[in-house]
Amino acid sequence: EIVLTQSPATLSLSPGERATLTCRASQSVNSYLVWYQQKPGQAPRLLIYDASNRATGIPARFSGSGSGTDFTLTITSLEPEDFAVYYCQQRRDWPLTFGGGTKVEIK
Amino acid sequence: EVQLVESGGGLIQPGGSLRLSCAASGFTVSGNYMNWVRQAPGKGLEWVSTFYTGGNTYYAGSVEGRFTISGDNSKNSVYLQMNGVRAEDTAIYYCTKGRGANSIWDYWGQGILVTVSS
C-alpha cells in the first residue's frame, strides 16, 4: 500500500499570504497525484489532478507540482474562502490512498 | 447538471447489514469509475470501493469480504452492500464519480451518515 504523508498538519497564515503544502509518497506514484479541498460540513472538491492540472473552475492561484514521490500544492495569495483542509490522493495503484490532510487556518 | 444523491444510511447495530444507494443524474454511470469514499467523524478521507462497468470491482482491505459494490445501469445507480458492520465503519459515506475510467473524482455526493452502535 502506498502511504501518503502530508505536511504540515496545520498551516496558520493570513489572507494574502502564500501557502505551500507538501505530500510525500512512500513509493513513486509517477504523476498520478490528486489534490482535494474540503470545507467544514461539505464534501471534498477536486482541485488538481495528475500533479499539476487544475480542475474545471479552479482559480489560477492554485497550482500543483512534483512527480515521483514529492508533490507540492501552492496557493499564491490566500483568499478567505481558501481556509480549509487539503488532501492528496494517489491513483497510481490499488488500494487508492489519501494523505492525512493539511488544515490551512487563519492566523 | 451532474448530481449524486446518497440514501440508505442510519443507525445500525454491530454485525448488522445495510445497503447504501447512490442515484446519479446528468451522466451515465456506465463508462465511469463509481466509488465510495468515507470519512469517520473528525478524521480524514478513506477510499472504500470502486465499481466499473462490466463488473470490475476494487475494495479497501478494511472492507474486503464484508462490503459489496454494484451498479444498475437501468437505474443509473450504484450501491454499497455493507455486511458484518463494525464500530469502525461509522462514517459519512460519499458517492463519487470518476472521470471516465480513472480515479480522479470530479463529482461528490453530499454524503450519508452511517452509525454503527448498539
Side-chain angles (χ1 to χ4, degrees):
Chain A
E1 173 176 316
I2 298 174
V3 176
L4 298 180
T5 302
Q6 290 188 242
S7 61
T10 304
L11 199 51
S12 299
L13 295 169
S14 301
E17 289 193 294
R18 181 186 188 94
T20 302
L21 291 66
T22 65
C23 176
R24 176 163 289 175
S26 59
Q27 63 191 77
S28 176
V29 299
N30 298 326
S31 293
Y32 298 123
L33 197 284
V34 186
W35 291 95
Y36 298 91
Q37 175 194 67
Q38 187 179 32
K39 297 179 182 179
Q42 295 184 19
R45 175 174 73 145
L46 175 65
L47 286 180
I48 302 283
Y49 63 94
D50 293 351
S52 60
N53 299 284
R54 270 191 307 277
T56 303
I58 301 303
R61 63 181 181 273
F62 290 91
S63 65
S65 64
S67 66
T69 61
D70 293 296
F71 299 87
T72 301
L73 174 69
T74 302
I75 311 170
T76 52
S77 178
L78 283 164
E79 297 287 340
E81 61 268 27
D82 299 336
F83 292 91
V85 179
Y86 294 83
Y87 294 95
C88 59
Q89 173 236 327
Q90 65 81 20
R91 66 179 195 91
R92 170 65 178 81
D93 203 2
W94 306 98
L96 307 175
T97 50
F98 286 95
T102 291
K103 181 179 182 180
V104 179
E105 65 176 23
I106 299 177
K107 186 174 182 180
Chain B
E1 181 192 5
V2 171
Q3 280 197 314
L4 298 165
V5 179
E6 301 98 338
S7 60
L11 175 64
I12 184 164
Q13 293 190 337
S17 296
L18 197 65
R19 189 175 89 148
L20 303 183
S21 299
C22 172
S25 58
F27 73 102
T28 56
V29 298
S30 63
N32 294 278
Y33 274 11
M34 296 301 298
N35 319 271
W36 291 94
V37 175
R38 69 185 180 184
Q39 187 168 37
K43 302 297 184 183
L45 301 170
E46 179 187 18
W47 168 74
V48 174
S49 185
T50 294
F51 174 84
Y52 187 58
T53 304
N56 297 312
T57 58
Y58 305 88
Y59 298 95
S62 57
V63 306
E64 183 126 42
R66 300 187 299 123
F67 292 9
T68 303
I69 193 170
S70 61
D72 186 334
N73 289 342
S74 67
K75 293 187 167 74
N76 211 35
S77 294
V78 178
Y79 308 96
L80 186 69
Q81 178 67 42
M82 306 168 62
N83 296 332
V85 297
R86 305 165 180 166
E88 55 265 34
D89 295 321
T90 295
I92 295 173
Y93 285 73
Y94 294 102
C95 175
T96 75
K97 168 190 168 293
R99 287 180 51 165
N102 63 59
S103 299
I104 298 169
W105 301 318
D106 53 0
Y107 288 93
W108 295 61
Q110 82 286 356
I112 191 89
L113 178 62
V114 172
T115 302
V116 181
S117 175
S118 54

